[in-house]
Amino acid sequence: MSHRIRKAVFPVAGLGTRFLPATKAIPKEMLTVVDRPVIQHVVDEARAAGIEHFVFVTGRNKQVIEDHFDRQYELEATLRQRGKTAELAKLEQDTPKAGATSFTRQQEPLGLGHAVWCARDVIGNEPFALLLPDMLHLGPKPCLAEMIEAHDRQGGNLIGVYPVADDETHQYGIVNVGGSREKVARIEAMVEKPPRGTAPSNLAISGRYILQPEIFDLLEKQERGAGGEIQLTDSMLKLAQSQVFHAVRFDGQVYDTGSKLGFLAANVAYAMAREDIAPEFRKQAAAILGL
Ligand code: G1P
């Protein structure tokens, strides 16, 4: 029987240079999609999948993320005084239990592989989930929940994937499942950001992973790869020589909020998914677009 997935890693050390000046004083993960910070959306997905412990790999100037997932007594007291019970209940619901979060620092921006390696002691010797906060997944069922169900059935390593346009494959990790149309399919090849025109398929790594702890030893020895960074994909390729990797196709929409257009599209899509906002938002958006 495979080990239950209890812990999730969130690498949040990135500088967010693509969003300057918005990210000069606040982390990019705290930018809001509708009324929730991007990182809260991703933590929501992990909680919905049954994750019990949230490990944030942070860096300088990211303290506000730690504050966001803590209780705020003055605010709670004021809300209580003013009888704002719904807001109070929502705050409580969004805050992880005491002791259910860990924060560790990456110290140097050496790449995603290095950020994941920084979580090794907090994770220990068990399989874990990894969620890249830039990537928001909107669909009928949370992406990570589908992946954990697949892991419960068959164990091993799993990677969330979704189809991207052929002219976008060079921006992502790409996997090949040998033409399989199954939702969960064995990965035959994997490549990080293939040069234009060389991708083995159009299935992109969506930023959701379930990994076995043996990845940490490989990351420890991993030399720098594409862009001079320690790449997670390079160590996953090594792990794939001794362990099975499956791709889990996500059938909803994936928004890359690390790009300005993806961020704007996510705000529109998440607003349209909100019953309290969608009807009026639809009218205003139609007026702006001249529809
Ligand atoms: C990382 C991964 C890549 C994945 C992407 C999703 O790249 O290395 O495989 O497709 O996230 O956003 P990055 O966006 O950090 O360059």
Side-chain angles (χ1 to χ4, degrees), residues 112 132 134-135 171-174 192-193 204-207 209 231 233 256:
L112 176 61
L132 306 191
D134 278 354
M135 304 298 276
Q171 299 171 22
Y172 298 98
I174 300 292
E192 183 65 20
K193 303 198 177 76
I205 295 179
S206 76
Y209 311 77
Q231 294 287 353
T233 306
D256 182 353

